[in-house]
Amino acid sequence: MGKLLLIFIITFTLCDVLKACVTANTDVHIESNLNNLVLHCKSKDNDLGNVTRNAGEEFDIHFCADFWGRSVFSCEFYWESKHQDFIVYESKHPEYCDEKDDYGSYKTDCYWKVQEDGFYFPQYFEPEPNTWFKKYDWE
Ligand SMILES: *[C@@H]1O[C@H](CO)[C@@H](O)[C@H](O)[C@H]1NC(C)=O
């Protein structure tokens, strides 16, 4: 009987966390304006490995934001002889993110654009991301 109760509690907790996941779907869109841009993005639990993008292509990180708001994704970027790495998503600093409440279903979209002179995020999100600000230079 005690075991059954434990299973019930674990299942209930899991469902609760999964539900939170559905209401906090997050996409980080990283658009490349460069050919042969190599990205390596990871969180504490997820290593997405090296991927290559050409000009006009996008790399999307799709994940369920941590229920407690602790999700963090960082990426390393390589292009020609240049390199940079920074946090592309952290729930506490979503200046580059747009959160939509679609009748109680939350969806967060975050945007970065990678160019020859650095890394940009948009100030406005409607009707599409626009008015891009430079946040980082290449190293
Ligand atoms: C990822 O790409 C970078 C830059 O090309 C390279 O230095 C690194 O070794 C690669 N890592 C892996 C695991 O392939």
Side-chain angles (χ1 to χ4, degrees):
M1 198 60 194
K3 256 185 207 154
L4 266 181
L5 187 62
L6 190 63
I7 287 169
F8 175 77
I9 289 171
I10 289 171
T11 308
F12 184 77
T13 308
L14 261 180
C15 287
D16 212 34
V17 170
L18 288 177
K19 193 172 69 209
C21 204
V22 170
T23 57
N25 263 329
T26 304
D27 276 299
V28 180
H29 308 263
I30 304 172
E31 184 187 329
S32 177
N33 274 351
L34 302 169
N35 286 322
N36 290 315
L37 171 72
V38 175
L39 306 94
H40 183 189
C41 302
K42 56 177 189 273
S43 68
K44 195 163 63 69
D45 310 313
N46 253 318
D47 189 330
L48 304 178
N50 273 2
V51 298
T52 305
R53 288 295 180 272
N54 289 313
E57 295 177 349
E58 194 172 288
F59 178 63
D60 288 341
I61 307 171
H62 180 74
F63 62 100
C64 296
D66 184 292
F67 180 69
W68 295 273
R70 292 176 309 198
S71 306
V72 177
F73 266 91
S74 61
C75 297
E76 293 165 45
F77 299 87
Y78 304 89
W79 179 62
E80 297 188 340
S81 61
K82 294 173 179 161
H83 171 259
Q84 182 56 283
D85 63 87
F86 57 88
I87 290 172
V88 297
Y89 177 84
E90 189 175 22
S91 48
K92 272 167 270 159
H93 305 286
E95 57 189 342
Y96 44 82
C97 296
D98 181 34
E99 190 177 87
K100 286 196 191 75
D101 178 358
D102 187 14
Y103 298 104
S105 165
Y106 290 93
K107 174 79 173 67
T108 302
D109 285 286
C110 309
Y111 299 91
W112 292 99
K113 190 188 275 189
V114 186
Q115 300 188 172
E116 218 172 307
D117 65 335
F119 301 81
Y120 289 73
F121 69 90
Q123 188 186 13
Y124 303 109
F125 303 97
E126 298 291 341
E128 57 190 34
N130 65 87
T131 317
W132 297 79
F133 277 122
K134 194 204 279 191
K135 175 87 169 173
Y136 302 105
D137 283 305
W138 285 98
E139 276 176 2

